[in-house]
Amino acid sequence: MKKDNLLDEFYSLVQVDDSDGHYAQDIRDNNYFGMPLEAVVKAERRLRSQTERCIAYFSMEYGLATSCYNKLSSQLALNPSNKIPENAVFSNFRVADYFFALHQNNILDLPIYSGGLGVLAGDTVKTMADYKLPVAAIGILWNSGYFRQKFWFKYGQAPEKMRWDPYTYPGLIPLKNIIKISLKPEDVYLRLWKYYVYSYQHDAVVPLILLDSNIEPNSQRAKNLTDQLYRSDNVFLKLLQRVMLGFGGVSALNDLGYNIDTYHLNEGHAVFAFIAKSRGMDKDKLEALKSKFVYTCHTPVEAGHDRFFFDDLNKVLNKEDTDIIERFGKERSGLANLTLLSMNISAAINAVSHNHQKVMHIQFPSYKDQIQYVTNGVHPGTWMSQEFQDLFGKFPETFVDFKANPMILSRAAELKRNADFRLQLWQAHQSNKNNLCKLLEKWKLDKNLFTICWARRVAAYKRPSLILHDISRLVRIAQQVGPLQIILAGKAHPNDNLGFTYINEMLDKVDKLNEDYDKLKIIVLENYDISLGKLLSSSVDVWLNNPLPPFEASGTSGMKAIMNAVLQMSTVDGWVAEATDKKIGAFFGYKNNEGSVGDESDLHMNADSEELYCALERMVGLYYKTNQNGKLNSASEWIDMMIECISTAAKFNTYRMVDQYKQQIWKIA
Ligand SMILES: *Cc1c(COP(=O)(O)O)cnc(C)c1O
């Protein structure tokens, strides 16, 4: 196709709001922010075709990081607010904390996610693009992101409102399309934005449509609806954020002329999409509509299931809409339950790991036959470090075409006796670890010392402070078995008081440490994000995962780690329960009774920290037999486990996951 025609067709399909020619440098000829424009035009055409079975994927959050994979580039000057800020460090080497900060100088992650759910949605969409699936993803343009975490010395986390500039974020473009959502108190107008998620290998894209209420003529109240992700301090904000996603998403798809066959609700947040589609339908049509919806549940935690009073719904929605909610989503207590609603209106329901399925079967016995499971995964192109991509590339006979087919990683086991592979594997790991040491140079991180990391959302069931539970025990391990470097990171939801308490506790314990810093380093990093997540999960020796079973529906950060041969120390929960036959580290801790949904309030801190320390002693001992002051014992069992990590990654990735969604859930295989 001729270049000019391509550009014309793009502008006819995508109504870019660019009255001042802002984007003329970035969208020209056959170029879209440094990527091929043709892929965009193809995707836009397919979504409007009458013959394809297109999928709309709805999610409240998307974890997409330009610094890790979505390498769109812009000629526009990057607004400084779109750079990762200088982050503080809190450690037991307080002098360094006082004088230095972390300078990453990367572009900010697209700030529309809070944690694992968003990262999974981002990884899913990237994989859909790799698979060239006709998909439109729907989300919200959070004008103030989630929040920026500031450490307030040792007193804990001070959440700061974050500012960023969508107009200069590479690849993100505002459209002329404005849609109207009619609600009882007032109409809300939403501007549509687009961000194209590219597959670099397969030259295909999935458009992500983002909804934004921060426009005229909305009232200030309405403008605030898309300000901050997961505002929960006010029931109407919470409700209306969900209404925006569902109603807004359906209107947006109509306005863009997309022809959607399957609506995928990534969490019940988006279930109002069904309500919007159901208007004016009789019984038969409603049944037919149900065959078009599928629902993925992501949490067994009580707070993860949204409930609303009908009185509150009635203040916002019209009667026809609340009638449908009453019919499909009213629980025995009389509340509207979005999980129940989602299950009742969906043709396929899935949990996100085998363990999670078992819990859901207990939580929702009458849906037992319908609840399947598709274990989560991580996107290899995003999370496999360059060092490891290069390493696999050097053994092409074993890892044939591993980029297109990560399942081939299972063959790593064949190289167990290959001395050259064992050595190069270690070197690749040390090279990754060296990157972390460089970033933390001022904190004197040493690449020949045992390094373990806990980094994730700070929520009670994840037990962020378990490894610090008995500091004197930790000190003894460091003195008697070998030096320890411990890295901790994570944000607590601003309204989660318990989460705050954990961060306080962590900082306070680190502050009080008097142990020789060369023996025990504990470093707490501010503002955990995707680029830190990638660096940490690929570079430490051991990834620590200690949720209280059975509350981790899946968890994904450990999957990022095994893809980079980082060993696991983990309780048996979420995805890990499907890998206990693999020698990928140490499993420990409380096991819940399979017939019950568990007790979130009993965290088993004493018993489980004891088990954690025993596992730690074994791992540290083995580590120092493997790495003796930089001298490698390449016959060590440690290397066997690193290899087993890689072969296990053959299963826990989004290619396997999307294959299963195609077969079991979307039924397009
Ligand atoms: C991977 C990731 C998560 C999810 O980690 P879990 O192990 O599922 O808790 C959260 N936040 C960031 C920034 C991540 O990269």
Side-chain angles (χ1 to χ4, degrees):
M1 181 181 286
K2 278 193 25 217
K3 284 179 184 176
D4 292 349
N5 293 350
L6 199 59
L7 199 60
D8 288 345
E9 189 176 354
F10 170 78
Y11 278 112
S12 74
L13 292 169
V14 185
Q15 313 288 318
V16 187
D17 185 16
D18 186 21
S19 47
D20 49 0
H22 204 57
Y23 300 110
Q25 286 295 304
D26 287 317
I27 308 172
R28 69 190 150 76
D29 306 330
N30 52 0
N31 189 305
Y32 183 88
F33 292 88
M35 293 303 295
L37 184 62
E38 188 157 6
V40 172
V41 172
K42 269 192 197 154
E44 291 288 348
R45 264 193 228 139
R46 284 178 82 190
L47 283 161
R48 291 169 173 86
S49 92
Q50 301 297 314
T51 51
E52 300 254 17
R53 287 192 51 199
C54 301
I55 299 169
Y57 184 82
F58 285 71
S59 181
M60 204 59 140
E61 47 172 315
Y62 289 87
L64 294 162
T66 308
S67 61
C68 292
Y69 184 78
N70 298 71
K71 301 182 187 85
L72 294 158
S73 60
S74 174
Q75 304 291 321
L76 295 176
L78 190 67
N79 186 316
S81 67
N82 287 349
K83 282 194 167 179
I84 292 183
E86 203 179 274
N87 287 324
V89 173
F90 193 97
S91 73
N92 57 330
F93 189 35
R94 300 303 308 281
V95 189
D97 304 351
Y98 187 80
F99 284 109
F100 307 108
L102 287 191
H103 300 274
Q104 291 176 278
N105 213 29
N106 273 335
I107 179 164
L108 199 73
D109 300 347
L110 190 56
I112 57 170
Y113 75 99
S114 76
L117 178 68
V119 173
L120 178 87
D123 279 8
T124 303
V125 173
K126 282 178 265 184
T127 311
M128 289 162 153
D130 290 342
Y131 277 25
K132 298 194 176 189
L133 295 175
V135 178
I138 314 279
I140 290 180
L141 187 96
W142 300 106
N143 285 266
S144 301
Y146 181 44
F147 71 92
R148 181 160 284 161
Q149 180 184 48
K150 281 272 174 199
F151 286 159
W152 204 42
F153 303 101
K154 65 177 177 180
Y155 302 109
Q157 163 188 287
E160 261 187 12
K161 200 163 172 154
M162 80 160 289
R163 298 263 162 232
W164 66 292
D165 177 28
Y167 288 91
T168 58
Y169 197 93
L172 185 59
I173 47 170
L175 305 185
K176 288 181 186 144
N177 309 58
I178 307 274
I179 56 174
K180 184 172 106 174
I181 310 294
S182 296
L183 299 172
K184 263 191 187 163
E186 58 181 330
D187 293 340
V188 178
Y189 294 86
L190 294 172
R191 173 193 289 290
L192 309 189
W193 292 70
K194 263 190 186 159
Y195 182 78
Y196 290 99
V197 178
Y198 269 88
S199 166
Y200 293 92
Q201 281 178 60
H202 303 279
D203 195 20
V205 301
V206 167
L208 168 60
I209 300 148
L210 296 172
L211 312 165
D212 173 15
S213 72
N214 188 21
I215 53 167
E216 301 303 334
N218 282 339
S219 70
Q220 192 54 45
R221 224 175 71 129
K223 283 180 183 166
N224 279 342
L225 292 176
T226 61
D227 188 50
Q228 234 185 329
L229 176 58
Y230 298 135
R231 279 284 297 272
S232 59
D233 45 319
N234 168 326
V235 62
F236 288 103
L237 261 173
K238 185 172 169 179
L239 171 61
L240 286 169
Q241 288 192 337
R242 284 145 183 78
V243 170
M244 288 304 115
L245 182 63
F247 287 8
V250 167
S251 291
L253 293 166
N254 286 338
D255 201 59
L256 294 168
Y258 290 176
N259 189 23
I260 301 300
D261 183 68
T262 301
Y263 295 82
H264 189 148
L265 310 177
N266 188 46
E267 257 313 329
H269 302 140
V271 71
F272 290 103
F274 181 85
I275 311 300
K277 294 291 293 181
S278 73
R279 290 182 190 135
M281 286 188 170
D282 62 22
K283 230 178 166 181
D284 292 345
K285 283 212 169 125
L286 266 181
E287 280 309 310
L289 183 63
K290 281 204 241 170
S291 70
K292 292 178 176 295
F293 277 73
V294 302
Y295 163 55
T296 303
C297 180
H298 281 272
T299 181
V301 174
E302 196 48 39
H305 302 291
D306 294 326
R307 290 182 172 84
F308 296 99
F309 289 109
F310 275 93
D311 280 351
D312 291 335
L313 293 179
N314 284 325
K315 285 179 192 141
V316 176
L317 307 176
N318 66 38
K319 183 152 184 331
E320 188 190 357
D321 291 348
T322 48
D323 281 351
I324 292 280
I325 298 170
E326 192 156 343
R327 188 153 146 212
F328 293 112
K330 186 172 177 174
E331 61 176 28
R332 225 176 287 149
S333 69
L335 294 175
N337 178 330
L338 299 195
T339 303
L340 194 65
L341 179 59
S342 304
M343 290 198 294
N344 283 336
I345 58 93
S346 295
I349 307 167
N350 74 284
V352 290
S353 71
H354 193 189
N355 240 26
H356 181 213
Q357 182 198 38
K358 290 182 201 162
V359 176
M360 279 190 80
H361 282 174
I362 302 167
Q363 285 176 319
F364 310 107
S366 41
Y367 299 83
K368 199 166 178 216
D369 297 339
Q370 285 147 274
I371 299 170
Q372 313 181 57
Y373 78 93
V374 178
T375 305
N376 285 342
V378 294
H379 182 247
T382 303
W383 299 103
M384 190 189 289
S385 61
Q386 190 60 48
E387 287 292 336
F388 275 70
Q389 295 187 29
D390 294 349
L391 172 71
F392 300 143
K394 285 183 207 156
F395 294 83
E397 274 163 31
T398 304
F399 301 112
V400 188
D401 208 12
F402 69 93
K403 286 188 184 168
N405 174 24
M407 284 52 142
I408 206 89
L409 294 176
S410 64
R411 289 209 195 152
E414 292 169 14
L415 295 174
K416 254 191 177 156
R417 276 180 211 89
N418 182 325
D420 184 34
F421 180 70
R422 294 175 79 92
L423 181 63
Q424 293 210 38
L425 170 61
W426 180 258
Q427 285 166 346
H429 171 67
Q430 286 300 87
S431 171
N432 279 340
K433 197 170 173 186
N434 202 40
N435 293 335
L436 178 66
C437 294
K438 258 196 258 157
L439 182 73
L440 292 171
E441 202 172 17
K442 303 290 197 256
W443 285 265
K444 302 193 171 162
L445 213 66
D446 182 337
K447 74 168 188 288
N448 291 316
L449 297 188
F450 176 92
T451 306
I452 184 168
C453 175
W454 184 99
R456 41 184 41 87
R457 242 173 1 93
V458 174
Y461 78 88
K462 291 182 185 256
R463 301 189 293 187
S465 55
L466 192 65
I467 193 172
L468 305 180
H469 191 66
D470 180 355
I471 288 283
S472 60
R473 178 76 188 272
L474 203 55
V475 168
R476 261 194 332 256
I477 297 172
Q479 283 169 347
Q480 293 167 5
V481 191
L484 301 175
Q485 303 185 125
I486 301 174
I487 300 179
L488 307 167
K491 293 177 175 180
H493 186 283
N495 296 118
D496 178 2
N497 289 328
L498 207 55
F500 267 60
T501 314
Y502 284 110
I503 295 185
N504 290 357
E505 184 191 337
M506 279 153 75
L507 299 184
D508 196 45
K509 283 190 167 169
V510 174
D511 191 55
K512 291 201 175 101
L513 262 183
N514 275 319
E515 172 64 10
D516 180 0
Y517 185 67
D518 289 333
K519 287 248 164 62
L520 178 61
K521 298 183 174 101
I522 306 184
I523 295 176
V524 194
L525 301 176
E526 195 179 66
N527 237 354
Y528 182 48
D529 64 4
I530 292 175
S531 51
L532 268 181
K534 177 162 180 177
L535 179 66
L536 292 169
S537 64
S538 63
S539 66
V540 296
D541 301 303
V542 173
W543 194 255
L544 178 62
N545 177 50
N546 45 228
L548 176 75
F551 294 103
E552 189 66 87
S554 165
T556 53
S557 57
M559 303 177 188
K560 303 166 190 170
I562 56 171
M563 204 165 260
N564 294 288
V566 166
L567 305 196
Q568 306 290 301
M569 258 180 62
S570 181
T571 51
V572 178
D573 202 10
W575 75 272
V576 177
E578 290 161 51
T580 47
D581 60 328
K582 311 281 192 236
K583 294 202 175 62
I584 56 173
F587 304 117
F588 65 92
Y590 171 77
K591 293 190 179 52
N592 67 299
N593 171 352
E594 283 211 359
S596 94
V597 292
D599 176 4
E600 253 177 272
S601 63
D602 184 0
L603 290 172
H604 296 266
M605 294 295 280
N606 289 331
D608 272 15
S609 61
E610 172 62 29
E611 286 201 35
L612 187 160
Y613 294 127
C614 291
L616 188 63
E617 277 171 357
R618 291 197 304 277
M619 294 292 275
V620 176
L622 182 59
Y623 181 82
Y624 287 114
K625 277 187 203 145
T626 309
N627 180 8
Q628 295 155 336
N629 263 322
K631 200 173 139 287
L632 174 71
N633 165 14
S634 65
S636 169
E637 187 196 336
W638 189 280
I639 312 282
D640 294 339
M641 289 198 284
M642 288 175 76
I643 294 173
E644 190 125 347
C645 282
I646 295 167
S647 58
T648 305
K651 173 177 176 192
F652 297 99
N653 62 71
T654 43
Y655 282 47
R656 185 269 313 146
M657 181 189 87
V658 169
D659 283 345
Q660 279 182 286
Y661 275 108
K662 282 166 69 176
Q663 276 180 19
Q664 293 171 232
I665 308 295
W666 308 322
K667 304 201 166 66
I668 56 172

